[in-house]
Amino acid sequence: MLKIGQFWYGDFMVAMLVVIVLGIIFANSIVDIPQRESDLDKISDDGFTIANSLLSEGYDMLNWKNSNGRIGIMTNGKVDVDKLNEFASLTGTSRGYLISQFLFGTSYQYAFYFGDNKGGIINQRAYGGVAKKEDLDTIDAENIFRIVRVVYLDNNKDGKGELVKMHLVVWDVGKEYRTS
């Protein structure tokens, strides 16, 4: 005889299993949201710190390689090409790049490049964790922070510089491509 409101123990177990699995998936996704926001806050704070440091005058440039001083590439409100070259020399080696991270006070990877008003890359290079701007497009990291600042750059020291964009990219350690 068939009863209309019949309930089987197996049906109950399958329904409970589905509810438990959905509950675990939901709980894991909710727990991950604050962690990701915290990571983004940290990486953006470090990005602003790096940008502000780069756009300062810095000090003790000759001792940057000895982990002393403060990195800054500006002089009198303009990018100082000598300081920029010293910075490029510092970050040209793995040890020097680590020293620059220490001087910036960050554990995140970073790189920056200068772009002109036509979208071209000035000096055809990036400074920091990657050597080419194109390498920044291949970074595969969980969190990436980008900031653009306008700076005055007199690349050939003729007194007729121009306003350019400094693009700074900061990312966390992941599956990224790194040349330094």
Side-chain angles (χ1 to χ4, degrees), residues 100-116:
S100 71
Q101 284 180 300
F102 170 75
L103 290 174
F104 285 136
T106 185
S107 60
Y108 295 111
Q109 309 299 314
Y110 73 91
F112 69 94
Y113 63 94
F114 296 102
D116 61 19

Side-chain angles (χ1 to χ4, degrees), residues 142-158:
E142 287 284 324
N143 299 305
I144 298 177
F145 177 76
R146 298 174 188 267
I147 185 171
V148 177
R149 297 276 178 95
V150 176
V151 297
Y152 180 83
L153 176 66
D154 186 7
N155 207 20
N156 56 9
K157 298 183 181 182
D158 65 355

Side-chain angles (χ1 to χ4, degrees), residues 23-39:
I24 290 172
I25 291 171
F26 177 74
N28 282 340
S29 65
I30 293 298
V31 168
D32 187 44
I33 290 172
Q35 177 63 34
R36 185 165 303 260
E37 287 177 1
S38 174
D39 291 345

